[in-house]
Structures are given as C-alpha cells and as structure tokens.
C-alpha cells in the first residue's frame, strides 16, 4: 500500500499558511496532459490513486486563468506553495495536476486537482470544454474560481452549464446525483457584502446570462458561494505568492480564505455512484473510461454518458469484487485445509461462515451499483462460493473418512486383533464382546462425528465383527481340537509313564531277587570253602 500519511512536523521546507488549516506534506504531480488532440493520463499518478483503499473525495479547482485558483489549491493544503504559481499573462498550469499525497479527512482520502485555466486565448477550445466537462464528471466538489464582479468576460465555462445535456447524458430521474457539489469563489471581491452570497451570485449571473443562472440552479442540488477580497499586498509581492508569509496578507483576506476552506472541508463527501463511495480502484477506472471516451473523437466533443460510464464501472467493479471475494474465500479455505483438515463438521461450518463473512465484506466493499444492477453478480458470487465450499466439503469429508478409518484400524489392533490370535485368544465370546464394546466406545469418543464416522462404525460393527466372529469360531474349534489332541497325548504319556513305573518296579524287584540270590550263592560258596578247608585239615 502506498504511504499516504502525513505529519505536522516543522522540519518540512514548505511555506505554511497556518490559521488552523492543516498543513499537508507532498508535492504536485501531473495527472492529465493534453497533447496532439489526446488526453493523456500519467501512469504514476494513476497508480497513486489506484492504491487508495478508502473512499476518495475529489476536489477540483477550475476557473479562468490568472485568477489565483492554483494559489487557492495550495491553501487547501495549508500552504502558500505546492502547485506552481505564475506571474506571467499566460496560464501556468497545463492539464490537471494533483497532490501526490492524498490525505484523510472525514473518513475519505482527499485528492485536490489544480486544473488548467480556461478561457486562455491560446487554449484549444475543444480541450477547454473537455477539461471542464471531465472535471464536472469526476469531482465530488467542483470549485469554480472567477472574478468577484460577475461579467461576461469572467463567466467562462459557466455558460456550458446553460444546458449540460449538450455535453453530458445523465439519468433523467437522478440528474443532480451525477454532478458534484458546486462551490463558486468570487475573487478580489471589494463591494459591500450582501446578506446571501448565493442569491447575490445567481442574481448577478442572471443579469449577465439568465440561462446560465437557470442551468446552474437546475443542474446542481448543492451550491455554495464565497467571496474572497483582494490579498491586500503589493503587486510585486503578488508575483511571488508562494514565498509570501501569511502575516503579509490582509487580515480580512486571511479570515475569508480560512472560512471558505473550513466550510469546503466540512461539507466534503466521497465521490459516489448510486450512493456507494468510490475507492481508488473504482475512481481510477471511472477516470480512465471517461478519458477513453473523450479521446474517441479528437475534433469534437461527443456527449459523455455518465450512466454508460457508470454501467461500465459497475461491470468492472463487479468482476473485481467477485475475484477479490472469491480469491479470499478460496485461499483461506485452502490454508485451513492444509493446516487443519480434517476438522469436525461443526468447526468446518464455523470456519466457512467466518471466512465467508470476510469474503462477503471484501466483495460488497468493491461492489458498486444498485441492488437491482448487481443482483445477477451477487447470484454469480453466491454460486461460485457454494461450488467452492462443496469442493472443500468433499476434501474434508475424504480427510475425515481417512482419519476415522485409520483410527478404527488402530483401535481394532489394540482391542480386538490380539484376541484373534492363538497366542492370546479370547477365552470366550463374552470376552470378545467386551473387547468389541471397548473398541466401539473409544472409537465413538475419538472419531470425527458425521456420516463418515457412522459408515465406518457400521462397517466395523457389521462386516468387521462378522469376519472376526468367523475367525473366532475357527480359532475356538482349533483350540478345542488342539486341546483334545493335547489331552489324548497327555493321557498316552501318563499311560506310558505308568507302564514305565510298573516296569521299573518289576525290574527293581527282579534286581532285588537277583541280589538276594547272589548273596545266598556267595554265602553257600563261603560255607563250601569253609567245609573244604576243614576237610583238608
């Protein structure tokens, strides 16, 4: 964003006017020039305008050349210098210049335009009229600077207001809503002040040209007139007004100037279209379209159709509004989907509503035109948002499904699967049902609720449980068969052991008998040996 902010520090080199008028830093930059029959917009100036996000208020200072309009434009910035002043007979300002640092006032960014003086004998008449009409079209406040004594030579382009329908095509019902607030400055006014300068101006103008007076009354719903006396300084000083000190000016001039500036700012409003304030983007587009139309015919001035330009602007801003609002929604939902999905559906709806609320704000902020004019655009935006929401709904649904499925698989492995293996087989069906209940309870507590959760719940409750029961039946049968084999095997082993024990007992008895027999034999042999010895003796 362009930095438009200003401060009131005293280190600026500008020549302050003071008297309670805020001092605005910055410098003049050309917005429009007229060259070879073409109106040319300065891209740098246009870029400054485009970057304004707040409502814009356009104050244009227009009038006969050499009447001090550039000086008044400077005073609007609280300074004597800024827009170039000149002391020569020829007009100093060429084209339209703007202040490069729009400032905040009444919640608007104020852009002050200093326009080339009209009625210069050397000026292209077609360009003079285009300049006047363009300023009327783009301004929210149109300051017309003329001689204090209204005469034929000073009315200038006010004659154009006799019948604006020659130059502008307006809405028949809301003609005045297309035009800016008109402020007339009567310069160097030295007569006795009337009770009402507005009535005085219209009366004098009627004496010169009644049609012009009637045109102004008919075309403008707001008209203010301020009379400014002569600055009161010497002619030589007037030639260097940008260097003058406020104290050198006549006190009445200072007072009247300050009053006029204050009231102009008090009544300032944003440039509007159908009661909707323009921002930098919409105003720059409107300005470009007006210039493009005026450049379409170099030699003549085709009517500038404000309704047509507004319709073009409405269409442009409608597309921009859709793009900004939809892009914000899609981007933020994408970020949420990357960072947070899956989320439960209540949180999903809350996220959607919160993001949509901001997207709607951005959409409506850029949207201009009446409700009827933008009804189709609103429907298109709503449909795009609905389609985009459906995409993220499907994405979250898939994420929720995968999360719940992974959760179910994990919990199944914890609660059920171990009991379906031979090493830790469930004791009976009751133990299996208890494990199944634990699985269902923990899944219900930890899963994302919704249709996806129920689908997986039912899948495990029905298909997975049925499959587990089939496995359990087989495992129980296998366990029972294995137990029978083990029991038979154990019984056979027991029989073998019993037989072995009996055999061992018989062998032990046999060994005992053989031992006793051998002892008896040995005893007999010993007796025989004794008898033999006796016999030998």
């Amino acid at each position: 964003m362009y930095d438009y902010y200003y401060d009131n520090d005293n280190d600026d080199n500008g020549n302050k006017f003071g008297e309670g008028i805020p001092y605005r830093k910055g410098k003049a930059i050309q917005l429009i020039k007229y060259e070879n029959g073409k109106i040319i917009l300065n891209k740098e100036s246009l870029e400054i305008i485009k970057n304004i996000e707040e409502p814009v208020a356009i104050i244009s200072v227009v009038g006969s050349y050499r009447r001090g309009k550039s000086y008044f434009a400077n005073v609007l910035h609280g300074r004597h210098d800024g827009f170039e002043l000149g002391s020569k007979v020829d007009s100093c300002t060429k084209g339209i210049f703007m202040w490069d640092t729009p400032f905040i006032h009444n919640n608007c960014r104020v852009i002050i335009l200093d326009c080339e003086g009209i009625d210069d004998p050397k000026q292209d008449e077609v360009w003079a009229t285009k300049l006047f009409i363009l300023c009327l079209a783009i301004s929210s406040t149109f300051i017309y600077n003329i001689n204090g004594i209204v005469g034929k030579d000073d009315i200038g382009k006010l004659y154009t207001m006799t019948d604006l329908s020659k130059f502008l095509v307006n809405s028949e019902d809301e003609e005045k809503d297309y035009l800016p607030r008109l402020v007339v400055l009567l310069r160097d006014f030295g007569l006795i002040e009337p009770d009402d300068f507005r009535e005085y101006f219209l009366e004098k103008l009627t004496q010169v040209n009644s049609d012009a007076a009637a045109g102004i009354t008919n075309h403008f719903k707001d008209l203010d007139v301020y009379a400014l006396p002569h600055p009161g300084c010497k002619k030589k000083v007037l030639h260097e007004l940008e260097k003058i000190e406020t104290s050198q000016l006549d006190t009445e001039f200072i007072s009247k100037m300050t009053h006029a500036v204050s009231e102009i700012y008090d009544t300032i409003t944003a440039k509007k279209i159908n009661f909707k304030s323009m921002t930098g983007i919409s105003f720059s587009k409107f300005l470009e379209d007006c210039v493009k139309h005026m450049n379409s015919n170099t030699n003549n001035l085709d009517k500038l159709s404000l309704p047509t330009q507004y319709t073009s602007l409405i269409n442009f801003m409608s597309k921009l509004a859709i793009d900004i609002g939809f892009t914000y929604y899609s981007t933020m939902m994408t970020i949420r989907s990357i960072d947070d999905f899956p989320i439960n559906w209540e949180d999903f709806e809350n996220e959607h509503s919160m993001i949509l609320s901001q997207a709607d704000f951005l959409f409506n902020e850029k949207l201009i035109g009446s409700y009827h004019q933008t009804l189709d655009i609103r429907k298109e935006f709503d449909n795009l948002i609905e389609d985009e929401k459906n995409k993220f709904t499907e994405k979250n649904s898939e994420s929720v499904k995968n999360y719940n499925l992974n959760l179910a698989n994990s919990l199944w492995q914890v609660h059920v699967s171990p009991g379906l293996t031979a090493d830790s087989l469930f004791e009976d069906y009751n133990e299996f049902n208890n494990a199944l209940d634990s699985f269902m309870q923990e899944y219900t507590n930890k899963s994302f609720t919704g249709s996806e959760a129920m689908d997986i719940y039912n899948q495990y409750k029905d298909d997975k449980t049925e499959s587990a029961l089939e496995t359990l039946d087989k495992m129980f049968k296998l366990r029972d068969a294995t137990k029978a084999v083990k029991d038979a095997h154990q019984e056979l082993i027991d029989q073998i052991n019993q037989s072995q024990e009996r055999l061992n007992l018989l062998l032990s008895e046999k060994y005992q008998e053989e031992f006793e027999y051998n002892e008896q034999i040995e005893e007999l042999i010993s007796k025989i040996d004794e008898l033999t010895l006796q016999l030998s003796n």
Side-chain angles (χ1 to χ4, degrees):
M1 166 111 184
Y2 191 88
D3 183 13
Y4 297 118
Y5 291 95
Y6 65 94
D7 56 52
N8 293 318
D9 294 339
N10 293 320
D11 59 353
D12 192 271
N13 294 323
N15 187 5
K16 295 179 177 61
F17 187 85
E19 302 302 318
I21 302 175
Y23 176 82
R24 314 295 183 180
K25 288 187 177 182
K27 64 181 185 297
I29 182 173
Q30 190 162 37
L31 173 64
I32 284 175
K33 66 179 179 178
Y34 186 70
E35 193 173 87
N36 299 324
K38 290 288 185 181
I39 304 173
I40 302 172
L41 282 165
N42 181 6
K43 293 182 179 180
E44 181 182 353
S45 301
L46 204 60
E47 194 63 28
I48 292 174
I49 296 173
K50 286 180 179 179
N51 283 307
I52 297 176
E53 297 177 353
E54 300 88 356
V56 293
I58 312 298
I59 301 178
S60 61
V61 186
V62 184
S64 300
Y65 75 109
R66 309 305 330 135
R67 291 294 182 189
K69 59 179 180 50
S70 295
Y71 179 74
F72 187 79
N74 287 336
V75 176
L76 286 171
H77 291 93
R79 54 199 297 163
H80 297 278
D81 58 357
F83 292 110
E84 185 178 358
L85 307 178
S87 58
K88 298 179 181 179
V89 175
D90 293 336
S91 173
C92 182
T93 304
K94 295 295 183 182
I96 299 177
F97 280 76
M98 62 172 277
W99 204 244
D100 73 342
T101 312
F103 54 89
I104 286 286
H105 185 80
N106 283 359
N107 299 318
C108 298
R109 284 282 176 191
V110 180
I111 303 175
I112 296 178
L113 306 180
D114 180 28
C115 303
E116 177 178 341
I118 58 176
D119 297 335
D120 185 338
K122 299 179 181 179
Q123 190 177 46
D124 185 310
E125 185 176 348
V126 172
W127 162 235
T129 303
K130 285 183 176 182
L131 172 67
F132 190 85
I133 295 300
L134 180 61
C135 287
L136 279 176
I138 67 174
S139 300
S140 53
T141 300
F142 183 90
I143 300 176
Y144 196 71
N145 189 81
I146 63 173
N147 186 28
I149 301 176
V150 182
K152 291 183 178 180
D153 295 335
D154 298 297
I155 294 176
K157 289 303 173 186
L158 282 177
Y159 280 122
T160 303
M161 298 181 189
T162 302
D163 186 4
L164 281 178
S165 61
K166 294 179 180 178
F167 309 98
L168 289 172
V169 178
N170 293 332
S171 167
E172 293 181 358
D173 297 330
E174 300 177 343
E175 176 179 313
K176 295 182 181 181
D177 291 333
Y178 286 93
L179 295 175
R181 170 185 291 274
L182 176 61
V183 175
V184 176
L185 296 181
L186 302 177
R187 302 304 293 268
D188 298 340
F189 189 85
L191 303 177
I192 298 175
E193 292 191 3
D195 293 334
D196 188 321
F197 271 106
R198 186 179 186 275
E199 292 182 2
Y200 167 81
F201 169 73
L202 291 175
E203 179 185 347
K204 294 301 180 182
L205 185 59
T206 300
Q207 294 174 3
V208 176
N209 187 300
S210 59
D211 290 336
I216 289 176
T217 303
N218 292 334
H219 294 310
F220 295 91
K221 62 180 180 180
D222 293 316
L223 168 62
D224 292 316
V225 180
Y226 301 98
L228 300 177
H230 190 277
C233 48
K234 295 180 180 181
K235 184 176 182 181
K236 183 177 181 181
V237 176
L238 288 176
H239 294 168
E240 295 183 333
L241 276 176
E242 69 276 4
K243 299 178 182 180
I244 200 171
E245 292 183 7
T246 305
S247 60
Q248 294 177 263
L249 300 173
D250 182 79
T251 56
E252 185 182 5
F253 174 80
I254 296 172
S255 175
K256 296 291 186 181
M257 180 72 82
T258 303
H259 174 72
V261 170
S262 297
E263 289 210 347
I264 288 171
Y265 279 133
D266 286 343
T267 56
I268 197 172
T269 58
K271 179 66 176 173
K272 296 182 181 295
I273 172 173
N274 297 118
F275 307 105
K276 182 72 176 288
S277 297
M278 291 188 185
T279 60
I281 292 178
S282 54
F283 175 74
S284 61
K285 171 62 177 175
F286 177 65
L287 174 60
E288 288 178 298
D289 286 348
C290 289
V291 169
K292 182 179 179 181
H293 171 81
M294 287 186 164
N295 282 335
S296 63
N297 192 325
T298 305
N299 297 322
N300 299 305
L301 180 64
D302 288 340
K303 286 185 180 181
L304 179 61
S305 173
L306 293 181
T308 299
Q309 302 307 323
Y310 278 16
T311 300
S312 173
L313 179 59
I314 289 170
N315 293 336
F316 172 81
M317 293 303 296
S318 295
K319 293 178 182 178
L320 182 63
I322 286 178
D323 182 59
I324 291 176
F326 176 77
T327 299
Y328 176 84
Y329 178 85
S330 181
T331 300
M332 295 305 296
M333 288 296 287
T334 298
I335 292 173
R336 292 291 188 274
S337 68
I338 293 174
D339 294 342
D340 302 329
F341 280 12
I343 57 177
N344 64 59
W345 289 111
E346 182 179 355
D347 289 342
F348 178 88
E349 287 298 329
N350 289 337
E351 289 285 345
H352 159 74
S353 297
M354 181 177 66
I355 293 173
L356 178 58
S357 176
Q358 181 62 20
D360 277 335
F361 173 79
L362 295 173
F363 171 76
N364 288 306
E365 186 181 42
K366 292 293 182 288
L367 199 65
I368 57 178
S370 66
Y371 180 80
H372 176 74
Q373 289 172 313
T374 58
L375 182 60
D376 290 341
I377 295 299
R378 293 176 188 276
K379 289 180 179 178
E380 181 181 347
F381 178 70
D382 290 341
N383 290 336
L384 286 172
I385 292 294
E386 186 65 27
D387 290 344
E388 193 71 359
K389 180 190 176 184
N390 290 337
K391 293 179 183 179
F392 287 105
T393 299
E394 293 175 4
K395 188 172 183 178
N396 191 54
S397 178
E398 188 66 24
S399 297
V400 167
K401 179 181 178 181
N402 291 336
Y403 174 87
N404 287 343
L405 186 59
N406 290 334
L407 175 65
N409 287 335
S410 175
L411 295 177
W412 187 267
Q413 293 299 320
V414 172
H415 293 286
V416 181
S417 290
L420 300 177
T421 62
D423 294 337
S424 56
L425 188 66
F426 292 115
E427 284 293 327
D428 51 32
Y429 288 107
N430 285 335
E431 188 177 5
F432 168 75
N433 287 330
N434 289 335
L436 191 62
D437 288 342
S438 297
F439 161 78
M440 294 298 185
Q441 184 63 44
E442 189 169 357
Y443 172 77
T444 301
N445 292 337
K446 294 183 177 181
S447 63
F448 287 102
T449 58
S451 59
E452 300 85 2
M454 288 304 301
D455 289 343
I456 294 173
Y457 180 92
N458 291 330
Q459 176 186 341
Y460 273 77
K461 182 180 178 182
D462 299 331
D463 300 341
K464 199 77 173 179
T465 300
E466 182 179 351
S467 176
L469 284 172
E470 291 177 358
T471 300
L472 201 59
D473 288 341
K474 293 177 182 179
M475 294 298 292
F476 280 170
K477 290 178 181 178
L478 180 61
R479 182 183 66 181
D480 293 344
T482 301
K483 187 176 183 302
V485 171
K486 285 183 177 180
D487 289 346
H489 180 261
Q490 187 63 45
E491 183 179 355
L492 180 59
I493 290 176
D494 292 343
Q495 291 176 355
I496 292 174
N497 289 336
Q498 291 176 2
S499 297
Q500 185 66 44
E501 288 177 358
R502 287 196 297 272
L503 178 60
N504 291 339
L505 180 61
L506 291 174
L507 289 174
S508 176
E509 291 176 351
K510 180 181 178 182
Y511 290 150
Q512 184 65 33
E513 289 175 356
E514 286 181 354
F515 178 76
E516 291 176 354
Y517 176 75
N518 288 334
E519 281 186 341
Q520 292 175 0
I521 293 298
E522 288 178 358
E523 184 179 354
L524 288 174
I525 291 173
S526 176
K527 289 180 178 181
I528 291 173
D529 289 341
E530 288 180 2
L531 289 175
T532 300
L533 181 61
Q534 291 176 0
L535 289 176
S536 63
N537 293 329

